[in-house]
Amino acid sequence: GRRIFTVRSSSSAGAASAGAAAEGAAAGAFTFTLSQSGEVLQTKQNTAGGSISFDLLEYTEAGEYTYTIAEIPGSDATINYDANTYTATVTVSDNGRGVLTADVAYQTTDGKPPVFQNTTKPGNLTISKTTEGTTDAAVHQQFTIEVRFTDAMGQPWSGSVKLFDQPTYITDGLYTGKLGNGGALSFTGIPAGVHYTVSEPDLLPGWTMDKEK
């Protein structure tokens, strides 16, 4: 899933400010910096409403002032933090009567305020099977394993994942496979927000399950 942050700007006489918005983010979830010439001037976190604003920048003389806006990577291992940095240029003009005005421009492809995009890393699932039995038949016995995938609403999810690094399509939320003693199934690339449960639907006669997860 994506978390999107839109950098906004405003200007007033002799001053300018920049900020960002983190849609749907909890308070303090993400952090941005405003820097000039490699020096961090301000560090701000988003509010509960998802907005973030840097303190007003004041100027005493006309000229161009260049800043960079970036996100500080957080510690959540499930998120890919946006590593992009964006340039904001404040142009301060003197109307000739000692009144300064400030305008902010962003170096983006469309000239609009930049957008930071964080993405949630896909999940992985490894299922392993261990049995205890002394006969040759028991050692080689195969068991049916079901993995049910559901979306955030609890409905069956269909989509692509990887099974042992090979693309596999899940239909109607169900994958069925076989595992024996020492066997394993390894899923990768499970999209963010997809949930799963693992079960053995038909326990074979003469076998007991030590632990059900």
Side-chain angles (χ1 to χ4, degrees), residues 195-207:
H195 304 265
Y196 53 79
T197 57
V198 180
S199 65
E200 289 187 38
D202 302 308
L203 190 62
L204 296 176
W207 291 88

Side-chain angles (χ1 to χ4, degrees), residues 179-195:
L179 280 180
N181 184 42
L185 294 171
S186 180
F187 294 89
T188 58
I190 302 173
V194 173
H195 304 265

Side-chain angles (χ1 to χ4, degrees), residues 109-180:
T109 55
D110 56 6
K112 295 180 180 180
V115 173
F116 289 86
Q117 293 186 346
N118 290 348
T119 58
T120 304
K121 296 178 181 178
N124 303 322
L125 169 66
T126 299
I127 306 165
S128 57
K129 179 70 175 178
T130 301
T131 63
E132 295 180 359
T134 57
T135 66
D136 186 67
V139 170
H140 295 92
Q141 181 64 58
Q142 295 289 300
F143 300 85
T144 300
I145 302 295
E146 285 188 353
V147 185
R148 294 188 178 273
F149 296 88
T150 56
D151 59 21
M153 302 300 293
Q155 299 301 309
W157 174 83
S158 297
S160 294
V161 297
K162 286 188 176 181
L163 178 60
F164 297 114
D165 292 327
Q166 297 299 314
T168 300
Y169 191 81
I170 304 299
T171 301
D172 295 331
L174 177 63
Y175 173 85
T176 301
K178 294 284 188 179
L179 280 180

Side-chain angles (χ1 to χ4, degrees), residues 15-100:
S17 65
E23 299 175 356
F30 304 102
T31 305
F32 294 96
T33 59
L34 180 71
S35 303
Q36 185 178 46
S37 301
E39 178 185 356
V40 175
L41 302 180
Q42 298 180 34
T43 301
K44 299 293 181 179
Q45 292 182 323
N46 63 280
T47 67
S51 65
I52 177 168
S53 297
F54 295 105
D55 297 334
L56 198 67
L57 299 168
E58 297 185 351
Y59 304 91
T60 57
E61 59 183 55
E64 281 193 353
Y65 302 84
T66 301
Y67 306 90
T68 57
I69 299 173
E71 182 183 8
I72 297 177
S75 58
D76 190 334
T78 67
I79 295 177
N80 289 311
Y81 293 91
D82 195 330
N84 290 309
T85 60
Y86 295 95
T87 299
T89 301
V90 178
T91 301
V92 181
S93 303
D94 190 329
N95 68 353
R97 296 188 296 274
V99 178
L100 300 178

